[in-house]
Amino acid sequence: MNTIDPKTTTTKPVLCPFCSYGCEFGVVFDDFGIKGVEYLKDGCSGGRLCPRGSAAGLYLDHPRRLCSPSRGGRAVEWTKITAELKKALASPETVAVTFDRNITLEEYQSIAGFCQGAGIKQFASSYLEPETCLSDFLRSDFSEKEMESAQTIVILGDPFNQAPVSSKSIINWRLGSRDRRLYVIDSIRTHTAAYAHEFLKVRVGTEPLLLLALAQRELSGVDIAKATGIPGARISELAESFRRAGKGLIIACLPFAHTYDPVLLTEGLRVLSDYSGKAVVPYVEFAGYKGKMSFAGILDAIKKKGIKYLINFGELFPFYYPQLLPALKNVDVFATSTLKYDGCTALPAALNIEKSGTIMTTFGPRKLTGSVKPASGAKTVSEMLSMCEAKSEKLKVAETQEPRVDIDSRIGRILDMSIKPKKDHFRLIGEKIAFYYLNLLDKEMLKMNPADGAMLTLRQGDMVAVESKRGSHGLRVTLTSDVDPGVVAVPAESPEVRGLFDYVIEEDNRAISFVPTEVKICREE
Amino acid sequence: MQRRIVLDLDLCCGCRSCEAACRAAFKGEARIRHGDISGVAYLPLACKHCKQPLCLAACPVEAITKDEVNGLVVRSAFTCIGCRSCAFACSFGVIDAPLIRHVSQKCNLCSDREQGPRCVAACSSGALQWLSDEDIGRHEIGMRLVSKDQFFRRRS
């Protein structure tokens, strides 16, 4: 029998960087580098890991890992990049600085201080995932004990895929006593929904309307039953029972392009929480930070031709938002990345596993150990800032703009957007499936109702071309009644798939929302 | 004492962590698979390491052998010729027909790992358990089914 020889391997415990649930695992090294992942029984999740955590070994040692600065796929010297950045910083009014995920709280503060010191006014978050709206609900004192004492739990979305490690506590709570009640709200039938006492399957994108209705909020001129697909009488009964139920929780997850209005959805959660007296617990991938302005403000400044350089710290932007690339065509983009990317000047960044600092998790702030050395050539944010010799000021938290939410106009917009798609068109929505993380383990599948499959003479596993006004991509079909007729769902993990979705810029708070999108589907030969 | 992978059917949340752990450790080989039951349930399918394995009987080159001490049914990657006889013979359908690196994908209960199979360690909901025959006797198993439909579930 082959066994790992403890003399030749070392295991370093790390905090999982792929979501904010705060699991721990061990990275195993041998003489040749990273060997894989080890499940730590004494870690905070008891060794349990989701597919993303298990694939961490593949990600850390991936052949596409970026190890030197590159432009258009060609390696560039760090000295050349530094000189260009210094030249750009000489006229700070032409520079915008953005940040997304994979940065620690300390790094965020140093970026904010760097902007203040350099006189850069265009400073915004480029983490445009809808879940950023939920970050306000994160608390430092949440523990799973709160769940044990709950009598009613309302789940919005699919935590079994957003944070699969949370499934144990949810299932054990659900099966623990017959007096407890679990309600799940979603537009797709998920495994989480299978455990619900009552699954409230709403029409695509209308979750905010249901939340507001459950909080007995007056929605003038809206036929809530027609809009959401849930009978009005049942909504009234549930609203009353939520209010009367003892202790409880509202667990919220929000995947990419799953609903029309994440801001209104957040408002709905807040209103329902106040009405029912139950706290909201968000399960998010990354607890985003706030900038001085919204990202749409940066796009406006680019349109006015005031911005010539955009520096992004993080790992997603602009790679994961291909639909925004046309708006950036006249800007010199310098973006830190962990994987190779040809679209702009990509700078190799260290992963959160590879640095020390603080990150916010569902259970409060946690310290990163930084016990894994950064990949060859990868640099941390502070290293990059010091290379630019930027003058930095100490800054605790950046000034933020409080969003104003115009509920009535947003409700009207949801109703406008949720009308039936044109003939031969489908409504494409994003969902979170942990297994398809970055396509490391498998390619995404397109979920389609069997009735639609029969209409298009498609069978399980057939390849189709999904075409939206933003682009086209080939996907393999899986036929399931989990989605309604006329709706198709896809795990929004790879840039190619994410690029299919349309986005809207809100009038009131200038937030960017990626929304369910009308697509045409045809068989790919 | 022989140990086996046991699935608590009520706890499986369908996240496929087990498959991810297997693929990540064995360079793309999915030695634990998933069965889709009429679109209402997803079940992890692991090798049962049968007492009289049909895959062993079907293998024309004796690449599959059974260890009489620990009950492990293992496939030798050096001897396997990739004929897929084992995949067709397996009555549980746990050996995948597609080959990876020209050999069949066969679970060896992570014999390279002292603490037991990785799929069990990774299981995010605790549905997969690594139990001895003695523990299995004490366990309620085989009477529950995880399902997207309430009708199929026993515990409510």
Side-chain angles (χ1 to χ4, degrees), chain A residues 359-391:
Chain A
I359 56 162
M360 187 65 182
T361 70
T362 307
F363 304 99
R366 295 277 306 273
K367 287 274 176 208
L368 297 167
T369 53
S371 46
V372 177
K373 264 196 337 195
S376 164
K379 295 200 186 300
T380 60
V381 169
S382 50
E383 281 171 334
M384 287 187 207
L385 292 179
S386 62
M387 280 172 76
C388 296
E389 293 166 16
K391 197 171 74 177

Side-chain angles (χ1 to χ4, degrees), chain B residues 68-82:
Chain B
E68 291 306 329
V69 180
N70 57 21
L72 211 62
V73 179
V74 288
R75 179 266 290 134
S76 161
F78 296 105
T79 321
C80 179
I81 54 168

Side-chain angles (χ1 to χ4, degrees), chain A residues 158 160-161 189-196, chain B residues 12-15 40-42 146-148 153:
Chain A
D158 183 14
F160 287 7
N161 272 296
R189 190 184 174 87
T190 59
H191 261 85
T192 311
Y195 283 88
Chain B
C12 177
C13 74
C15 67
V40 293
Y42 240 176
V146 66
S147 161
K148 290 187 184 180
R153 225 172 313 119

Side-chain angles (χ1 to χ4, degrees), chain A residues 6-315:
Chain A
K7 284 173 200 154
T8 55
T9 62
T10 47
T11 304
K12 292 182 177 175
V14 294
L15 197 66
C16 181
F18 301 120
C19 87
S20 289
Y21 200 73
C23 305
E24 269 178 330
F25 61 83
V27 180
V28 184
F29 295 86
D30 62 10
D31 295 343
F32 303 102
I34 292 163
K35 192 175 165 67
V37 159
E38 188 49 63
Y39 306 89
L40 303 175
K41 272 248 169 231
D42 48 353
C44 60
S45 60
R48 294 177 292 123
L49 271 188
C50 76
R52 288 167 290 184
S54 289
L58 302 178
Y59 188 78
L60 282 167
D61 214 12
H62 201 273
R64 275 182 58 215
R65 187 80 200 264
L66 187 63
C67 294
S68 70
S70 79
R71 182 173 287 156
R74 289 186 174 187
V76 191
E77 294 273 322
W78 266 111
T79 46
K80 197 177 171 195
I81 298 291
T82 317
E84 285 178 22
L85 285 173
K86 276 182 190 168
K87 193 181 149 200
L89 291 171
S91 45
E93 65 285 353
T94 62
V95 180
V97 172
T98 55
F99 53 89
D100 53 81
R101 69 176 189 194
N102 189 36
I103 55 170
T104 62
L105 179 64
E106 290 79 5
E107 285 179 334
Y108 161 68
Q109 286 167 351
S110 61
I111 297 166
F114 153 70
C115 288
Q116 187 136 315
I120 297 166
K121 292 199 175 109
Q122 321 287 339
F123 174 56
S125 168
S126 55
Y127 189 58
L128 306 174
E129 301 300 292
E131 62 176 25
T132 44
C133 300
L134 301 176
S135 296
D136 289 346
F137 293 114
L138 283 171
R139 292 182 283 143
S140 55
D141 59 342
F142 175 70
S143 78
E144 282 185 346
K145 280 185 185 161
E146 227 170 288
M147 187 182 282
E148 283 162 25
S149 61
Q151 285 301 307
T152 301
I153 292 184
V154 180
I155 295 178
L156 175 77
D158 183 14
F160 287 7
N161 272 296
Q162 185 73 36
V165 174
S166 70
S167 62
K168 189 176 186 183
S169 51
I170 294 173
I171 296 171
N172 284 340
W173 174 87
R174 160 68 175 81
L175 301 175
S177 162
R178 284 175 186 271
D179 303 331
R180 295 167 178 169
R181 280 287 167 270
L182 178 67
Y183 299 93
V184 174
I185 302 170
D186 208 335
S187 52
I188 307 178
R189 190 184 174 87
T190 59
H191 261 85
T192 311
Y195 283 88
H197 288 97
E198 188 168 349
F199 171 42
L200 301 166
K201 191 176 188 182
V202 292
R203 296 220 164 96
V204 167
T206 59
E207 294 92 341
L209 303 183
L210 181 65
L211 292 174
L212 290 167
L214 286 173
Q216 301 281 45
R217 183 82 178 231
E218 198 67 41
L219 302 173
S220 53
V222 180
D223 183 347
I224 196 75
K226 198 177 160 197
T228 61
I230 311 284
R234 186 65 196 135
I235 294 175
S236 306
E237 282 170 20
L238 287 170
E240 195 51 35
S241 70
F242 284 170
R243 198 171 58 84
R244 284 197 184 158
K247 284 184 177 176
L249 286 177
I250 304 169
I251 294 173
C253 314
L254 197 46
F256 183 81
H258 195 72
T259 188
Y260 291 114
D261 195 336
V263 177
L264 188 62
L265 186 122
T266 314
E267 191 62 20
L269 285 169
R270 195 169 285 128
V271 172
L272 183 60
S273 172
D274 293 344
Y275 167 80
S276 62
K278 290 162 186 59
V280 178
V281 180
Y283 288 166
V284 295
E285 264 192 23
F286 180 72
Y289 311 111
K290 284 179 179 157
K292 257 186 180 177
M293 59 200 304
S294 72
F295 188 78
I298 303 258
L299 292 182
D300 291 343
I302 290 171
K303 244 187 217 170
K304 286 177 200 159
K305 298 192 176 166
I307 302 292
K308 287 184 187 158
Y309 304 95
L310 194 149
I311 305 168
N312 185 73
F313 295 97
E315 63 171 350

